[in-house]
Amino acid sequence: MDNCIYCKISEKREDADIVYQDETFCAFLHPTPINHGHIILTTSEHCTSLTLLDDETYSKLQCLARKIAVATLKTKDYDGFNIQYNHGECAGQDALHAALHIIPRVGTDGFHLNWRMQEAADEDQRKSLIDFIKNKLS
Ligand SMILES: [Zn+2]
């Protein structure tokens, strides 16, 4: 896609610090990272959502994300990592090209996911949600 920043990077029409690339995927250092090792892993072809990928491509993407994350641990600069997918603007998706964020972590990096815990929904709401999801998965 002509104006998509991730397409531009994977097609080398935009400069980026690419850490991995093959014909299906491209991984590069985030230009405005959460921390030093923040990597974006995306598809080489334009795809707005990971939900649109076929199972085989999605599985390969997840395996590659794990390999990249493990590689960051081997630098000895990091003690852990987060792998995050932001689907939709409300979830923080900032480009309309699906991407996994691989965020190597160290205890002093100052990054917080800021998850706020709430009371669980009431039993009827939980049961309704469970039934709905089970129905969609069957
Ligand atoms: Zn794109």
Side-chain angles (χ1 to χ4, degrees), residues 1-8 10-11 42-48 95-98:
M1 181 172 242
D2 284 349
N3 293 326
C4 174
I5 185 66
Y6 294 170
C7 284
K8 287 180 178 177
S10 72
E11 294 165 4
T42 189
T43 53
S44 297
E45 288 189 17
H46 187 74
C47 177
T48 58
L96 277 179
H97 187 132

Side-chain angles (χ1 to χ4, degrees), residues 2 8 12 30 50 62 64 68 84 86 102 106 111 118 121-122 131 134:
D2 284 349
K8 287 180 178 177
K12 299 202 166 74
H30 197 300
L50 295 185
Q62 290 291 344
L64 181 56
I68 292 170
Q84 182 170 328
N86 303 329
I102 302 161
V106 63
F111 174 60
Q118 302 182 54
D122 69 39
D131 288 346
K134 282 182 175 177

Side-chain angles (χ1 to χ4, degrees), residues 63-78:
C63 287
L64 181 56
R66 180 180 59 192
K67 285 180 183 174
I68 292 170
V70 169
T72 66
L73 292 179
K74 291 180 178 172
T75 67
K76 310 281 188 215
D77 292 335
Y78 305 103

Side-chain angles (χ1 to χ4, degrees), residues 40-67:
I40 294 175
L41 171 59
T42 189
T43 53
S44 297
E45 288 189 17
H46 187 74
C47 177
T48 58
S49 170
L50 295 185
T51 64
L52 300 174
L53 295 177
D54 61 73
D55 288 351
E56 183 180 348
T57 304
Y58 182 76
S59 295
K60 287 179 179 176
L61 178 80
Q62 290 291 344
C63 287
L64 181 56
R66 180 180 59 192
K67 285 180 183 174

